[in-house]
Amino acid sequence: MTDSAQKISAGGTNFQPVLKCLAVKKYYGAVKAVDGVDLEVLKGECFGLLGPNGAGKTTLVEMLEGLTKPDRGRVEVLGYQWGSGDDRAFRERISVQLQETQLADKLTVAETIRLFRSFYHRGHSVDEVIAKTGLGEKRTERVMKLSGGTKQKLALACALVSDPELLFLDEPTTGLDPQARNHIWEIVEEFKSRQGTILLTTHYMEEAARLCDRVAIMDRGKILALDRPASLVEKWVGKEVIEFSAEEAVDGESLKKLPGVKDAEQRNGLFILKAYRADQALPALIAEMEKKRIKLTRLTSRPATLEDVFMTLTGGKLKNE
Amino acid sequence: MSESRIHHPLIELTISRVKETIREPEAMFWVFVFPVLLALALGIAFRERPPDKIPIAVDRRMKDADRVAKMISKSAQLKALIVGPADLNQYLRVGKVALVISRSPEAVPLKSGKAENFPGGTGPEFFLIYDAARSESQLARLAVNDALQSGNGRMDVIALQDRLVKEPGSRYIDFLIPGLIAMNLMGSGMWGVGFGIVFARTRKLLKRLAASPMRRSHYLLAYMLSRLIFLVGEVAGLIGFAWLVFGVKVHGSLIELAILSVMGSMTFAGLGLLVAARATTIETVSGWMNFIMLPMYLLSGSFFPYSRFPTFLQPFIRALPLTALTDTMRAIINQGTPLFHNWLELLVMIAWGTISFSVALKIFRWQ
Ligand SMILES: Nc1ncnc2c1ncn2[C@@H]1O[C@H](COP(=O)(O)OP(=O)(O)O)[C@@H](O)[C@H]1O
Ligand SMILES: [Mg+2]
């Protein structure tokens, strides 16, 4: 192990940044894939990059993983900068699950994990990881025969087999059904419970909300907001979102002045009230509409989510599928 | 379930590679079965038969036609057919027989229809009717003369004994088998390595591996090592088959043959690696493979000697790695030449192998 590696494990406060990136940029021709990103991920935290397709999440993560060189800026992983002579020692301590990797079709689950285990000096046994990821029944199945969810579990198993300090997960549940997604979440939560640090990208706000201690909302290569999920929602949307449509035009400014309402907007004929308190805003809205003799259709109220934060920040949707 | 000890990554990578290959039935067919089928087909098509006996017609109207036919049949080169007058003309004209034996000079009339009085008698007088322009007929004339003379009591004044010799490895199948082995080593080396790598790259598996502490050289070496394992089956299979079915013998040392096979295999694995070093699609790599291998299939003398190509091409042809491997392979298998007599060819192979391997390492694209 190297000097810098020892420094970190020895000097261990929980707030030590395990991952750091400063003014990082990566352009592909005219496409500003990552356009000046700063962030720090602390030890033991699960950090989420939330953004739609093409936001630059993969590009950013692969720069952190040392697979892509940034055009500008500085990346540090466990206090180390990629390419300064000790890459393999640091690759022993991190693990990655890439967005698009397809593992060898003809190998079995156990053979694949075993191969990855052989690359590391230390780590779990193949059996331990198979048990941890619930792949027991599939251990002698060839990769080509696995369902999407099981393949993703296997990718996770290959990443976990080295017992990494830092785990990168690039859209680990994209395209999976809810049950498979839940399985993956449980595996990630188990890793988290043992003080593992995670950097995760996703375009599912439920995933970010459930797994992540802090979330950076990313769009077009930039980070638009960064905080705990609840704080982000609180700051940008409030607590509740009231949506309604009406038979006649409604004055937006008057809606914003209703008690308990933080903000109001109109989108595709739908009125959206962002409210701190639905118990105040709802009766006030109904009273206001009655006063103006405007008939309400489709009135709903629901808790605000990260999706609403994203909408507020970009005017667009997270999922474009 | 307990697991066996996990080996060095190079060994685990090689084992994985071997497993992946043998679980691909199509690849197995092209590497192991196809060359044997090709050898079988070509071996049968070009097999050498003892020269056929020359057919001779004996005119049925002769009273002693049976006796004459027997005399003819005693000759090692001739066989006799007893033919009626109606067919003689036709048989001679279409070459079904090379010569007609009769007692009538007009047994085969140029113009038929004329009733003819066939001479009786069984005396030692015959007419041999044939076309002097046909070499087979000329040969038949000599053999028939001998057969009839000795059949009628001529004594040979000197004793001649035939003793047939055959150069070792002079049949076409002997020429073909080393060529096929070399060709197969090239094909499986280049496809096996090149295809596997580009496939892994298109599936982002290379990128995933590059993110692990795996030594990159181990990955590439594992491809080379797995080739060595398959090599044993490829070479031994063809050699064994050719020996059992066609009696093709290895005249040189088996150990030297093994060394040569390893060198050849590594040379082409290196080339395969180079071709695959940057290609990002299967189409690109296939195109390059064909571009590199096709000239060698044509020029390197796998199926016929390259000496038939014009002189100015010869130095170029001899610089090709497949030519070097094929020539050395033939020297060992057919002539029993010691391996190092072909040092120039060995140098050609080593040069191709090391240069392409080191360039491949330099320019290799992991993503
Ligand atoms: N290798 C590349 N070459 C050119 N453009 C790229 C490359 N990688 C990513 N991009 C572009 O950069 C942008 C960000 O992509 P990506 O990082 O994959 O986003 P995300 O992971 O958030 O979906 C996209 O517009 C994408 O087309
Ligand atoms: Mg992505």
Side-chain angles (χ1 to χ4, degrees), chain B residues 300-358:
Chain B
S300 290
S302 307
F303 297 102
F304 54 85
Y306 57 82
S307 54
R308 294 189 192 178
F309 288 107
T311 323
F312 73 92
L313 271 181
Q314 297 295 324
F316 169 71
I317 293 176
R318 296 197 58 192
L320 295 173
L322 183 60
T323 315
L325 179 60
T326 307
D327 285 355
T328 316
M329 200 58 97
R330 287 209 174 108
I332 290 187
I333 294 180
N334 296 342
Q335 276 110 50
T337 318
L339 178 62
F340 291 102
H341 278 210
N342 288 65
W343 59 270
L344 189 61
E345 280 78 11
L346 298 183
L347 275 185
V348 167
M349 285 161 55
I350 291 173
W352 277 104
T354 43
I355 291 173
S356 46
F357 186 75
S358 31

Short mmCIF file of all heavy atoms in Angstrom, two decimals, chain B residues 300-358:
data_model
loop_
_atom_site.label_atom_id
_atom_site.label_comp_id
_atom_site.label_asym_id
_atom_site.label_seq_id
_atom_site.Cartn_x
_atom_site.Cartn_y
_atom_site.Cartn_z
N SER B 300 0.82 -18.07 -50.47
CA SER B 300 1.80 -18.76 -49.64
C SER B 300 1.97 -20.24 -49.94
O SER B 300 2.68 -20.93 -49.24
CB SER B 300 1.46 -18.56 -48.16
OG SER B 300 1.70 -17.23 -47.81
N GLY B 301 1.29 -20.74 -50.96
CA GLY B 301 1.53 -22.11 -51.38
C GLY B 301 0.93 -23.17 -50.49
O GLY B 301 1.51 -24.22 -50.29
N SER B 302 -0.25 -22.90 -49.95
CA SER B 302 -0.91 -23.93 -49.14
C SER B 302 -1.38 -25.07 -50.03
O SER B 302 -1.28 -26.24 -49.66
CB SER B 302 -2.11 -23.34 -48.41
OG SER B 302 -1.74 -22.21 -47.68
N PHE B 303 -1.89 -24.76 -51.21
CA PHE B 303 -2.51 -25.79 -52.05
C PHE B 303 -1.66 -26.16 -53.27
O PHE B 303 -1.81 -27.23 -53.81
CB PHE B 303 -3.88 -25.33 -52.52
CG PHE B 303 -4.85 -25.13 -51.39
CD1 PHE B 303 -5.14 -23.87 -50.93
CD2 PHE B 303 -5.42 -26.22 -50.77
CE1 PHE B 303 -6.01 -23.69 -49.88
CE2 PHE B 303 -6.30 -26.06 -49.72
CZ PHE B 303 -6.60 -24.78 -49.27
N PHE B 304 -0.82 -25.22 -53.74
CA PHE B 304 0.07 -25.55 -54.85
C PHE B 304 1.35 -24.74 -54.67
O PHE B 304 1.34 -23.71 -53.98
CB PHE B 304 -0.59 -25.25 -56.19
CG PHE B 304 -1.10 -23.85 -56.31
CD1 PHE B 304 -0.27 -22.81 -56.72
CD2 PHE B 304 -2.42 -23.55 -55.98
CE1 PHE B 304 -0.73 -21.53 -56.80
CE2 PHE B 304 -2.89 -22.25 -56.05
CZ PHE B 304 -2.05 -21.24 -56.46
N PRO B 305 2.45 -25.19 -55.24
CA PRO B 305 3.74 -24.53 -54.98
C PRO B 305 3.72 -23.09 -55.47
O PRO B 305 3.23 -22.81 -56.57
CB PRO B 305 4.74 -25.35 -55.79
CG PRO B 305 4.04 -26.62 -56.12
CD PRO B 305 2.59 -26.34 -56.15
N TYR B 306 4.26 -22.18 -54.65
CA TYR B 306 4.25 -20.77 -55.05
C TYR B 306 5.29 -20.49 -56.13
O TYR B 306 5.37 -19.39 -56.65
CB TYR B 306 4.40 -19.83 -53.86
CG TYR B 306 5.63 -20.05 -53.02
CD1 TYR B 306 6.85 -19.52 -53.39
CD2 TYR B 306 5.56 -20.77 -51.83
CE1 TYR B 306 7.98 -19.73 -52.62
CE2 TYR B 306 6.67 -20.98 -51.06
CZ TYR B 306 7.88 -20.46 -51.45
OH TYR B 306 8.99 -20.67 -50.69
N SER B 307 6.13 -21.49 -56.45
CA SER B 307 7.12 -21.28 -57.51
C SER B 307 6.43 -21.00 -58.85
O SER B 307 7.05 -20.51 -59.78
CB SER B 307 8.01 -22.50 -57.64
OG SER B 307 7.23 -23.66 -57.82
N ARG B 308 5.13 -21.30 -58.92
CA ARG B 308 4.41 -21.01 -60.16
C ARG B 308 4.16 -19.53 -60.37
O ARG B 308 3.80 -19.10 -61.45
CB ARG B 308 3.07 -21.73 -60.16
CG ARG B 308 3.23 -23.23 -60.21
CD ARG B 308 1.90 -23.89 -60.43
NE ARG B 308 2.00 -25.32 -60.20
CZ ARG B 308 0.98 -26.13 -60.27
NH1 ARG B 308 -0.21 -25.65 -60.58
NH2 ARG B 308 1.13 -27.42 -60.06
N PHE B 309 4.30 -18.74 -59.29
CA PHE B 309 4.09 -17.30 -59.46
C PHE B 309 5.34 -16.67 -60.09
O PHE B 309 6.42 -17.24 -59.99
CB PHE B 309 3.79 -16.64 -58.11
CG PHE B 309 2.41 -16.98 -57.60
CD1 PHE B 309 2.25 -17.85 -56.53
CD2 PHE B 309 1.29 -16.44 -58.20
CE1 PHE B 309 0.98 -18.17 -56.07
CE2 PHE B 309 0.02 -16.76 -57.75
CZ PHE B 309 -0.13 -17.63 -56.69
N PRO B 310 5.19 -15.50 -60.73
CA PRO B 310 6.33 -14.88 -61.43
C PRO B 310 7.51 -14.62 -60.48
O PRO B 310 7.32 -14.44 -59.28
CB PRO B 310 5.76 -13.54 -61.93
CG PRO B 310 4.30 -13.62 -61.78
CD PRO B 310 3.96 -14.75 -60.89
N THR B 311 8.70 -14.60 -61.06
CA THR B 311 9.93 -14.48 -60.27
C THR B 311 9.96 -13.23 -59.41
O THR B 311 10.40 -13.28 -58.26
CB THR B 311 11.15 -14.45 -61.20
OG1 THR B 311 10.88 -15.34 -62.29
CG2 THR B 311 12.40 -14.87 -60.47
N PHE B 312 9.50 -12.12 -59.97
CA PHE B 312 9.62 -10.87 -59.21
C PHE B 312 8.78 -10.89 -57.94
O PHE B 312 9.01 -10.14 -57.01
CB PHE B 312 9.26 -9.65 -60.10
CG PHE B 312 7.79 -9.52 -60.39
CD1 PHE B 312 6.96 -8.77 -59.57
CD2 PHE B 312 7.23 -10.17 -61.49
CE1 PHE B 312 5.60 -8.66 -59.83
CE2 PHE B 312 5.87 -10.07 -61.76
CZ PHE B 312 5.06 -9.32 -60.93
N LEU B 313 7.76 -11.78 -57.89
CA LEU B 313 6.92 -11.87 -56.69
C LEU B 313 7.56 -12.73 -55.60
O LEU B 313 7.17 -12.65 -54.43
CB LEU B 313 5.57 -12.48 -57.07
CG LEU B 313 4.47 -11.53 -57.52
CD1 LEU B 313 3.21 -12.32 -57.83
CD2 LEU B 313 4.17 -10.50 -56.43
N GLN B 314 8.54 -13.55 -55.98
CA GLN B 314 9.05 -14.54 -55.04
C GLN B 314 9.57 -13.96 -53.72
O GLN B 314 9.21 -14.47 -52.66
CB GLN B 314 10.12 -15.41 -55.72
CG GLN B 314 9.60 -16.23 -56.90
CD GLN B 314 8.59 -17.29 -56.50
OE1 GLN B 314 8.70 -17.89 -55.44
NE2 GLN B 314 7.59 -17.52 -57.34
N PRO B 315 10.40 -12.91 -53.75
CA PRO B 315 10.91 -12.38 -52.47
C PRO B 315 9.77 -11.90 -51.57
O PRO B 315 9.77 -12.14 -50.36
CB PRO B 315 11.80 -11.20 -52.87
CG PRO B 315 12.02 -11.34 -54.33
CD PRO B 315 10.91 -12.15 -54.90
N PHE B 316 8.77 -11.28 -52.18
CA PHE B 316 7.62 -10.80 -51.42
C PHE B 316 6.87 -11.98 -50.80
O PHE B 316 6.52 -11.97 -49.62
CB PHE B 316 6.71 -9.99 -52.34
CG PHE B 316 5.38 -9.67 -51.75
CD1 PHE B 316 5.27 -8.74 -50.72
CD2 PHE B 316 4.23 -10.30 -52.21
CE1 PHE B 316 4.05 -8.46 -50.15
CE2 PHE B 316 3.00 -10.02 -51.64
CZ PHE B 316 2.91 -9.10 -50.61
N ILE B 317 6.64 -13.00 -51.61
CA ILE B 317 5.91 -14.18 -51.11
C ILE B 317 6.66 -14.83 -49.95
O ILE B 317 6.08 -15.23 -48.95
CB ILE B 317 5.70 -15.19 -52.26
CG1 ILE B 317 4.76 -14.61 -53.30
CG2 ILE B 317 5.15 -16.50 -51.72
CD1 ILE B 317 4.56 -15.50 -54.51
N ARG B 318 7.99 -14.89 -50.09
CA ARG B 318 8.77 -15.58 -49.05
C ARG B 318 8.86 -14.76 -47.77
O ARG B 318 9.21 -15.29 -46.71
CB ARG B 318 10.15 -15.92 -49.58
CG ARG B 318 10.06 -16.92 -50.74
CD ARG B 318 11.37 -17.57 -51.02
NE ARG B 318 11.88 -18.26 -49.83
CZ ARG B 318 13.12 -18.72 -49.74
NH1 ARG B 318 13.97 -18.54 -50.73
NH2 ARG B 318 13.52 -19.35 -48.67
N ALA B 319 8.54 -13.48 -47.85
CA ALA B 319 8.56 -12.65 -46.64
C ALA B 319 7.25 -12.75 -45.86
O ALA B 319 7.15 -12.26 -44.75
CB ALA B 319 8.82 -11.19 -47.01
N LEU B 320 6.25 -13.41 -46.44
CA LEU B 320 4.97 -13.54 -45.73
C LEU B 320 5.09 -14.58 -44.63
O LEU B 320 5.71 -15.63 -44.83
CB LEU B 320 3.87 -13.96 -46.72
CG LEU B 320 3.52 -12.97 -47.82
CD1 LEU B 320 2.55 -13.60 -48.81
CD2 LEU B 320 2.92 -11.70 -47.22
N PRO B 321 4.47 -14.31 -43.47
CA PRO B 321 4.61 -15.27 -42.37
C PRO B 321 4.02 -16.65 -42.69
O PRO B 321 4.56 -17.66 -42.25
CB PRO B 321 3.87 -14.61 -41.21
CG PRO B 321 3.05 -13.52 -41.81
CD PRO B 321 3.71 -13.12 -43.07
N LEU B 322 2.94 -16.67 -43.47
CA LEU B 322 2.36 -17.98 -43.76
C LEU B 322 3.27 -18.80 -44.67
O LEU B 322 3.38 -20.02 -44.52
CB LEU B 322 0.97 -17.83 -44.40
CG LEU B 322 0.24 -19.16 -44.67
CD1 LEU B 322 0.02 -19.94 -43.38
CD2 LEU B 322 -1.09 -18.95 -45.36
N THR B 323 3.95 -18.12 -45.60
CA THR B 323 4.90 -18.84 -46.45
C THR B 323 6.01 -19.44 -45.59
O THR B 323 6.37 -20.61 -45.74
CB THR B 323 5.53 -17.88 -47.48
OG1 THR B 323 4.50 -17.08 -48.05
CG2 THR B 323 6.25 -18.65 -48.56
N ALA B 324 6.54 -18.63 -44.68
CA ALA B 324 7.62 -19.10 -43.83
C ALA B 324 7.18 -20.32 -43.03
O ALA B 324 7.90 -21.33 -42.95
CB ALA B 324 8.06 -17.98 -42.89
N LEU B 325 5.98 -20.25 -42.46
CA LEU B 325 5.49 -21.37 -41.65
C LEU B 325 5.24 -22.59 -42.53
O LEU B 325 5.63 -23.71 -42.18
CB LEU B 325 4.21 -20.95 -40.91
CG LEU B 325 3.58 -22.03 -40.04
CD1 LEU B 325 4.54 -22.49 -38.96
CD2 LEU B 325 2.29 -21.53 -39.40
N THR B 326 4.60 -22.38 -43.68
CA THR B 326 4.28 -23.51 -44.55
C THR B 326 5.56 -24.21 -45.02
O THR B 326 5.66 -25.45 -44.97
CB THR B 326 3.48 -23.01 -45.77
OG1 THR B 326 2.36 -22.27 -45.30
CG2 THR B 326 2.98 -24.17 -46.61
N ASP B 327 6.53 -23.43 -45.48
CA ASP B 327 7.78 -24.03 -45.98
C ASP B 327 8.49 -24.83 -44.90
O ASP B 327 8.95 -25.94 -45.15
CB ASP B 327 8.70 -22.92 -46.51
CG ASP B 327 8.24 -22.40 -47.86
OD1 ASP B 327 7.26 -22.96 -48.40
OD2 ASP B 327 8.84 -21.43 -48.36
N THR B 328 8.57 -24.26 -43.70
CA THR B 328 9.27 -24.95 -42.62
C THR B 328 8.50 -26.21 -42.21
O THR B 328 9.09 -27.25 -41.94
CB THR B 328 9.44 -24.01 -41.41
OG1 THR B 328 9.85 -22.74 -41.89
CG2 THR B 328 10.47 -24.53 -40.46
N MET B 329 7.19 -26.08 -42.20
CA MET B 329 6.33 -27.21 -41.86
C MET B 329 6.57 -28.36 -42.86
O MET B 329 6.69 -29.51 -42.48
CB MET B 329 4.89 -26.69 -41.95
CG MET B 329 3.81 -27.43 -41.26
SD MET B 329 3.99 -27.62 -39.53
CE MET B 329 3.15 -26.50 -38.63
N ARG B 330 6.64 -28.03 -44.13
CA ARG B 330 6.86 -29.06 -45.16
C ARG B 330 8.24 -29.67 -45.01
O ARG B 330 8.41 -30.87 -45.19
CB ARG B 330 6.73 -28.44 -46.56
CG ARG B 330 5.32 -28.12 -46.90
CD ARG B 330 5.04 -28.19 -48.40
NE ARG B 330 3.61 -27.99 -48.56
CZ ARG B 330 3.04 -26.88 -49.05
NH1 ARG B 330 3.80 -25.91 -49.53
NH2 ARG B 330 1.74 -26.78 -49.11
N ALA B 331 9.22 -28.82 -44.70
CA ALA B 331 10.58 -29.33 -44.56
C ALA B 331 10.63 -30.37 -43.45
O ALA B 331 11.22 -31.44 -43.60
CB ALA B 331 11.55 -28.18 -44.28
N ILE B 332 9.96 -30.07 -42.34
CA ILE B 332 10.00 -31.01 -41.21
C ILE B 332 9.16 -32.25 -41.51
O ILE B 332 9.61 -33.39 -41.35
CB ILE B 332 9.50 -30.33 -39.92
CG1 ILE B 332 10.52 -29.29 -39.47
CG2 ILE B 332 9.28 -31.37 -38.84
CD1 ILE B 332 10.19 -28.68 -38.13
N ILE B 333 7.93 -32.05 -41.96
CA ILE B 333 7.03 -33.20 -42.13
C ILE B 333 7.43 -34.05 -43.33
O ILE B 333 7.54 -35.27 -43.23
CB ILE B 333 5.57 -32.71 -42.26
CG1 ILE B 333 5.13 -32.08 -40.94
CG2 ILE B 333 4.65 -33.89 -42.62
CD1 ILE B 333 3.71 -31.56 -40.95
N ASN B 334 7.67 -33.41 -44.48
CA ASN B 334 7.89 -34.20 -45.69
C ASN B 334 9.34 -34.64 -45.87
O ASN B 334 9.61 -35.75 -46.31
CB ASN B 334 7.48 -33.41 -46.93
CG ASN B 334 5.99 -33.12 -46.94
OD1 ASN B 334 5.23 -33.77 -46.22
ND2 ASN B 334 5.57 -32.15 -47.72
N GLN B 335 10.27 -33.73 -45.57
CA GLN B 335 11.66 -34.08 -45.83
C GLN B 335 12.43 -34.50 -44.59
O GLN B 335 13.52 -35.05 -44.71
CB GLN B 335 12.39 -32.90 -46.49
CG GLN B 335 12.19 -32.85 -47.99
CD GLN B 335 11.32 -31.68 -48.37
OE1 GLN B 335 11.58 -30.56 -47.95
NE2 GLN B 335 10.30 -31.93 -49.15
N GLY B 336 11.92 -34.20 -43.41
CA GLY B 336 12.64 -34.53 -42.21
C GLY B 336 13.84 -33.63 -41.97
O GLY B 336 14.80 -34.01 -41.31
N THR B 337 13.78 -32.42 -42.51
CA THR B 337 14.88 -31.47 -42.32
C THR B 337 14.90 -30.98 -40.87
O THR B 337 13.84 -30.73 -40.30
CB THR B 337 14.65 -30.24 -43.21
OG1 THR B 337 14.21 -30.69 -44.48
CG2 THR B 337 15.91 -29.41 -43.36
N PRO B 338 16.07 -30.81 -40.27
CA PRO B 338 16.10 -30.21 -38.93
C PRO B 338 15.54 -28.79 -38.96
O PRO B 338 15.74 -28.06 -39.94
CB PRO B 338 17.59 -30.19 -38.57
CG PRO B 338 18.21 -31.19 -39.47
CD PRO B 338 17.39 -31.23 -40.71
N LEU B 339 14.88 -28.42 -37.87
CA LEU B 339 14.17 -27.14 -37.81
C LEU B 339 15.08 -25.96 -38.19
O LEU B 339 14.69 -25.09 -38.95
CB LEU B 339 13.61 -26.95 -36.40
CG LEU B 339 12.87 -25.65 -36.11
CD1 LEU B 339 11.64 -25.52 -36.98
CD2 LEU B 339 12.47 -25.57 -34.64
N PHE B 340 16.32 -25.96 -37.66
CA PHE B 340 17.12 -24.75 -37.80
C PHE B 340 17.74 -24.58 -39.18
O PHE B 340 18.31 -23.55 -39.48
CB PHE B 340 18.16 -24.67 -36.68
CG PHE B 340 17.48 -24.44 -35.36
CD1 PHE B 340 17.29 -25.48 -34.46
CD2 PHE B 340 16.94 -23.19 -35.08
CE1 PHE B 340 16.61 -25.26 -33.28
CE2 PHE B 340 16.26 -22.97 -33.90
CZ PHE B 340 16.09 -24.01 -32.99
N HIS B 341 17.58 -25.58 -40.03
CA HIS B 341 17.95 -25.37 -41.43
C HIS B 341 17.12 -24.26 -42.05
O HIS B 341 17.54 -23.60 -42.98
CB HIS B 341 17.76 -26.66 -42.24
CG HIS B 341 18.91 -27.60 -42.08
ND1 HIS B 341 19.31 -28.47 -43.06
CD2 HIS B 341 19.76 -27.77 -41.05
CE1 HIS B 341 20.35 -29.15 -42.62
NE2 HIS B 341 20.63 -28.75 -41.41
N ASN B 342 15.92 -24.10 -41.54
CA ASN B 342 15.05 -23.05 -42.07
C ASN B 342 15.14 -21.79 -41.22
O ASN B 342 14.14 -21.15 -40.93
CB ASN B 342 13.61 -23.55 -42.10
CG ASN B 342 13.39 -24.59 -43.17
OD1 ASN B 342 13.97 -25.67 -43.11
ND2 ASN B 342 12.58 -24.27 -44.16
N TRP B 343 16.33 -21.42 -40.81
CA TRP B 343 16.48 -20.29 -39.88
C TRP B 343 15.94 -18.99 -40.47
O TRP B 343 15.40 -18.16 -39.76
CB TRP B 343 17.93 -20.14 -39.45
CG TRP B 343 18.89 -19.91 -40.58
CD1 TRP B 343 19.54 -20.87 -41.29
CD2 TRP B 343 19.27 -18.67 -41.16
NE1 TRP B 343 20.30 -20.32 -42.27
CE2 TRP B 343 20.17 -18.95 -42.22
CE3 TRP B 343 18.94 -17.34 -40.89
CZ2 TRP B 343 20.73 -17.96 -43.00
CZ3 TRP B 343 19.52 -16.34 -41.67
CH2 TRP B 343 20.40 -16.66 -42.71
N LEU B 344 16.05 -18.85 -41.77
CA LEU B 344 15.57 -17.61 -42.37
C LEU B 344 14.06 -17.49 -42.19
O LEU B 344 13.52 -16.44 -41.82
CB LEU B 344 15.95 -17.56 -43.85
CG LEU B 344 15.70 -16.22 -44.52
CD1 LEU B 344 16.51 -15.11 -43.86
CD2 LEU B 344 16.04 -16.29 -46.01
N GLU B 345 13.37 -18.60 -42.44
CA GLU B 345 11.92 -18.61 -42.27
C GLU B 345 11.55 -18.34 -40.81
O GLU B 345 10.60 -17.62 -40.51
CB GLU B 345 11.33 -19.95 -42.71
CG GLU B 345 11.15 -20.12 -44.21
CD GLU B 345 12.45 -20.43 -44.94
OE1 GLU B 345 13.46 -20.74 -44.26
OE2 GLU B 345 12.45 -20.38 -46.19
N LEU B 346 12.32 -18.95 -39.90
CA LEU B 346 12.04 -18.73 -38.47
C LEU B 346 12.20 -17.25 -38.13
O LEU B 346 11.39 -16.69 -37.38
CB LEU B 346 12.97 -19.59 -37.61
CG LEU B 346 12.82 -21.10 -37.79
CD1 LEU B 346 13.74 -21.85 -36.83
CD2 LEU B 346 11.38 -21.54 -37.59
N LEU B 347 13.24 -16.65 -38.69
CA LEU B 347 13.44 -15.21 -38.43
C LEU B 347 12.27 -14.39 -38.95
O LEU B 347 11.81 -13.46 -38.29
CB LEU B 347 14.74 -14.74 -39.09
CG LEU B 347 16.02 -14.94 -38.29
CD1 LEU B 347 17.20 -14.31 -39.03
CD2 LEU B 347 15.87 -14.33 -36.90
N VAL B 348 11.80 -14.75 -40.13
CA VAL B 348 10.65 -14.03 -40.71
C VAL B 348 9.47 -14.10 -39.74
O VAL B 348 8.81 -13.10 -39.44
CB VAL B 348 10.27 -14.63 -42.08
CG1 VAL B 348 8.91 -14.11 -42.53
CG2 VAL B 348 11.33 -14.29 -43.12
N MET B 349 9.22 -15.30 -39.20
CA MET B 349 8.09 -15.47 -38.30
C MET B 349 8.28 -14.68 -37.01
O MET B 349 7.37 -13.99 -36.52
CB MET B 349 7.88 -16.95 -37.98
CG MET B 349 7.25 -17.71 -39.13
SD MET B 349 7.49 -19.49 -39.02
CE MET B 349 6.83 -19.78 -37.42
N ILE B 350 9.48 -14.78 -36.44
CA ILE B 350 9.74 -14.07 -35.19
C ILE B 350 9.58 -12.57 -35.40
O ILE B 350 9.00 -11.86 -34.56
CB ILE B 350 11.16 -14.41 -34.67
CG1 ILE B 350 11.20 -15.86 -34.23
CG2 ILE B 350 11.55 -13.48 -33.51
CD1 ILE B 350 12.57 -16.36 -33.85
N ALA B 351 10.08 -12.07 -36.54
CA ALA B 351 9.97 -10.64 -36.80
C ALA B 351 8.51 -10.20 -36.86
O ALA B 351 8.10 -9.26 -36.18
CB ALA B 351 10.68 -10.31 -38.11
N TRP B 352 7.72 -10.92 -37.63
CA TRP B 352 6.29 -10.57 -37.73
C TRP B 352 5.63 -10.61 -36.35
O TRP B 352 4.88 -9.71 -35.99
CB TRP B 352 5.57 -11.55 -38.66
CG TRP B 352 5.70 -11.23 -40.11
CD1 TRP B 352 6.50 -11.86 -41.01
CD2 TRP B 352 4.99 -10.22 -40.85
NE1 TRP B 352 6.35 -11.31 -42.26
CE2 TRP B 352 5.43 -10.30 -42.19
CE3 TRP B 352 4.04 -9.25 -40.49
CZ2 TRP B 352 4.95 -9.45 -43.18
CZ3 TRP B 352 3.57 -8.41 -41.48
CH2 TRP B 352 4.03 -8.52 -42.81
N GLY B 353 5.91 -11.69 -35.61
CA GLY B 353 5.26 -11.87 -34.31
C GLY B 353 5.63 -10.78 -33.33
O GLY B 353 4.75 -10.14 -32.74
N THR B 354 6.93 -10.53 -33.15
CA THR B 354 7.33 -9.57 -32.11
C THR B 354 6.95 -8.15 -32.51
O THR B 354 6.48 -7.38 -31.67
CB THR B 354 8.84 -9.62 -31.83
OG1 THR B 354 9.51 -9.70 -33.08
CG2 THR B 354 9.20 -10.82 -30.99
N ILE B 355 7.14 -7.82 -33.77
CA ILE B 355 6.80 -6.45 -34.17
C ILE B 355 5.30 -6.20 -33.99
O ILE B 355 4.89 -5.20 -33.39
CB ILE B 355 7.23 -6.17 -35.62
CG1 ILE B 355 8.77 -6.15 -35.70
CG2 ILE B 355 6.68 -4.83 -36.10
CD1 ILE B 355 9.32 -6.03 -37.09
N SER B 356 4.49 -7.13 -34.45
CA SER B 356 3.05 -6.85 -34.33
C SER B 356 2.60 -6.87 -32.88
O SER B 356 1.77 -6.06 -32.47
CB SER B 356 2.22 -7.79 -35.19
OG SER B 356 2.63 -9.11 -35.05
N PHE B 357 3.18 -7.75 -32.05
CA PHE B 357 2.78 -7.78 -30.63
C PHE B 357 3.15 -6.47 -29.94
O PHE B 357 2.35 -5.88 -29.21
CB PHE B 357 3.43 -8.95 -29.91
CG PHE B 357 2.94 -9.13 -28.50
CD1 PHE B 357 1.69 -9.66 -28.25
CD2 PHE B 357 3.72 -8.73 -27.42
CE1 PHE B 357 1.23 -9.82 -26.96
CE2 PHE B 357 3.27 -8.88 -26.12
CZ PHE B 357 2.01 -9.43 -25.89
N SER B 358 4.36 -5.97 -30.21
CA SER B 358 4.74 -4.75 -29.48
C SER B 358 4.00 -3.52 -30.00
O SER B 358 3.63 -2.65 -29.21
CB SER B 358 6.26 -4.54 -29.46
OG SER B 358 6.85 -5.04 -30.62
#
